[in-house]
Amino acid sequence: MTSTLLSAAAVAATQPADPRALTPALPDFELIELLFFAYRDFVGEPDRLLERHGFGRAHHRVIHFINRHPGLTVAELLDILEITKQSLARVLKDLIHGDFVEQKAGAEDRRQRLLFLTDKGRALADGLATMQHQRITRAVAAIGPEHRPMIARFLAELIDKERGAAPATGPSAP
Amino acid sequence: MTSTLLSAAAVAATQPADPRALTPALPDFELIELLFFAYRDFVGEPDRLLERHGFGRAHHRVIHFINRHPGLTVAELLDILEITKQSLARVLKDLIHGDFVEQKAGAEDRRQRLLFLTDKGRALADGLATMQHQRITRAVAAIGPEHRPMIARFLAELIDKERGAAPATGPSAP
DNA sequence: TGAAATATGTCAACATCATTGACGTAATTT
DNA sequence: AAATTACGTCAATGATGTTGACATATTTCA
C-alpha cells in the first residue's frame, strides 16, 4: 500500500513563484517536468500504433517528414533529423521493404533518391498524425484557441537558432 | 550546393489555418513539429554536459527526480519514470558508484532504499536544471511572462490522465 | 575529357537505453 | 510460520544511435 503513485501532473505541480523571492531564482521545475511528461505521452500513444507494424519512434519521424515533404532527398532528411546515414538507412530499409516508402531517382540529379510515401505509408502517417493532432487539439481547446500562437511562439523559442537558416533558394520549405 | 539546410523553424513553419476550410481539418503539423524540435533541443543541451561524465539522458532523469524529491524510494522512482527495474538499476549503479547518489535504508521500513543526491550530484543536477531553466526563461520572456500559466496548462493537458491519480493520502503531491 | 566532388548505399563494430523473465535476500505483514 | 513486499541481480534481446571506411553512380569543374 506504499508507492504513492505519483501522477505526472502531481509530480510536476510546483509552487508557481516563490512568495518573497529571497532565493536566486529557482529553476522552473514545473515547466521542465511538464515538458518531460507531455512529450513522453505525446509520442507514447503513436508508439503503440507503430508497434503493430514492428516499427519504432525512428520510423515515425521518417514517415512524418516524408509525408510533409514528398520528394524529399535522403540528404535533406538527414539534415532535418540530425542523425547519421547509418541510423537512417536501417529505418528507411524497413519502410521501403514494408512498402510504406518508395524511392524515385531525381529528374535533374539522378544520384538523388527522392522519397515518397506509398498509399500504405500515407495511411499510417495519417493515423499517427491524427493521434497527435487530437491530443494537441484537446490541449489547445483547454487554454482557448486564441492562445495557440503563444504556444507556437514559446516552442519555437525553445529551439536552437544556430542551425542552418534557409539558404539562397528561398525563405523556407516549399 | 544542394541540401536545402532546412532549419527546424523553417520545417515547422506551416500555413496556420487553411483559408477556406474544405478539407476535414488538417493535422496541426506546426505544433506537432515544434514539439519535436523543441524537445530535442531542450534535452540536447543537457546531453552535452552529461557526456562529460559518461552519462546519458537516463541519468539526467534519475538525478532530476531525486533532486526534486530527496529520500524518494526506488519504487516511487520507477513509478515516475515508467521504466523497468533493470533499466533503472544500471543507471542508478553508475550514479552511486560515481558518488552522485547515495542510498539510505528507510527508517520506518528498512527494506526501502531512500535515494539522495550527494553534493557532487546536486552540483550536476543544478547545472542541468540551470540550462533548461534558462532556455525556458528565454522562451517565456519572448511570449510575455503573463502567458506562462497558459503554457503550463497546455502541457498538462497533453499528459495522459488515466495514470494513477493520487491515492488515499490526498489530492496530489505534498 | 579526365579528375574531383557529391549523393547514396553498405559494412563492421560499438554504446545507450529500453525490454522480459527469473531468481535471491532481507524485512515486513498477516 | 507463511506470504508479501522492496530491492538487487542475472541472462538474453531489441531499438536506436554512433564512427569510420569503402563502393558505386552521377555530376561538376578545370
Side-chain angles (χ1 to χ4, degrees):
Chain A
M1 67 193 56
T2 16
S3 107
T4 317
L5 252 289
L6 303 163
S7 74
V11 170
T14 308
Q15 44 288 13
D18 40 341
R20 303 163 302 150
L22 296 174
T23 45
L26 283 186
D28 193 338
F29 286 128
E30 188 188 22
L31 290 190
I32 289 175
E33 290 176 9
L34 282 172
L35 268 166
F36 167 62
F37 293 121
Y39 190 77
R40 183 176 65 184
D41 290 351
F42 179 67
V43 298
E45 191 185 0
D47 279 355
R48 294 193 288 278
L49 172 54
L50 289 156
E51 261 173 33
R52 291 187 222 160
H53 299 276
F55 295 153
R57 228 167 264 185
H59 301 82
H60 185 177
R61 298 198 275 261
V62 169
I63 285 181
H64 173 92
F65 285 109
I66 297 177
N67 187 37
R68 287 274 286 150
H69 306 281
L72 199 67
T73 67
V74 170
E76 286 167 344
L77 191 47
L78 287 173
D79 279 347
I80 292 174
L81 297 177
E82 292 181 6
I83 57 175
T84 57
K85 208 169 22 161
Q86 181 68 308
S87 281
L88 177 58
R90 251 194 324 258
V91 169
L92 205 47
K93 190 183 294 181
D94 293 342
L95 292 172
I96 290 169
H97 288 172
D99 196 35
F100 291 86
V101 169
E102 60 182 355
Q103 295 181 310
K104 296 174 184 171
E108 292 182 0
D109 187 337
R110 299 218 319 267
R111 290 171 304 181
Q112 295 180 333
R113 297 287 175 266
L114 310 187
L115 302 170
F116 298 89
L117 293 188
T118 63
D119 290 346
K120 195 173 162 189
R122 207 168 304 111
L124 178 52
D126 287 349
L128 295 167
T130 297
M131 283 181 170
Q132 296 193 316
H133 173 72
Q134 288 180 345
R135 189 175 287 260
I136 285 178
T137 296
R138 268 187 282 124
V140 168
I143 60 170
E146 71 275 18
H147 297 120
R148 186 188 167 288
M150 227 89 80
I151 301 296
R153 180 79 197 286
F154 172 80
L155 293 174
E157 289 289 335
L158 288 182
I159 299 175
D160 288 344
K161 279 157 192 55
E162 317 87 55
R163 247 170 329 228
T169 34
S172 82
Chain B
M1 68 199 50
T2 16
S3 113
T4 317
L5 252 291
L6 303 163
S7 75
V11 171
T14 308
Q15 43 287 14
D18 40 340
R20 303 163 302 153
L22 296 173
T23 44
L26 283 185
D28 193 338
F29 286 127
E30 187 188 22
L31 290 190
I32 289 174
E33 290 176 9
L34 281 172
L35 269 166
F36 167 62
F37 292 120
Y39 190 77
R40 183 176 64 183
D41 291 349
F42 180 67
V43 298
E45 192 185 0
D47 278 354
R48 293 192 288 277
L49 171 55
L50 290 156
E51 263 174 33
R52 292 187 221 159
H53 298 276
F55 294 154
R57 226 166 267 185
H59 301 84
H60 185 177
R61 297 197 276 261
V62 168
I63 285 181
H64 173 92
F65 285 109
I66 297 177
N67 188 38
R68 286 276 284 150
H69 305 280
L72 199 67
T73 68
V74 171
E76 286 166 344
L77 192 47
L78 287 173
D79 279 347
I80 292 174
L81 297 177
E82 293 182 4
I83 57 177
T84 56
K85 209 174 10 166
Q86 179 69 307
S87 282
L88 176 58
R90 239 175 315 109
V91 169
L92 205 46
K93 189 184 295 179
D94 294 341
L95 292 172
I96 290 169
H97 288 171
D99 196 36
F100 291 85
V101 169
E102 60 182 355
Q103 295 182 311
K104 296 175 185 169
E108 292 183 359
D109 187 337
R110 298 216 322 266
R111 290 171 304 179
Q112 296 180 334
R113 298 287 175 265
L114 309 187
L115 302 169
F116 299 89
L117 293 188
T118 63
D119 289 346
K120 195 173 162 189
R122 208 169 301 109
L124 179 52
D126 287 349
L128 295 167
T130 297
M131 284 181 170
Q132 296 193 317
H133 173 72
Q134 288 179 346
R135 190 176 287 262
I136 285 177
T137 296
R138 269 188 282 124
V140 167
I143 60 170
E146 71 275 18
H147 298 119
R148 185 190 168 287
M150 228 88 80
I151 301 296
R153 180 79 197 285
F154 172 79
L155 293 174
E157 289 290 334
L158 288 182
I159 298 174
D160 288 345
K161 278 156 193 57
E162 317 87 53
R163 247 172 328 231
T169 35
S172 81

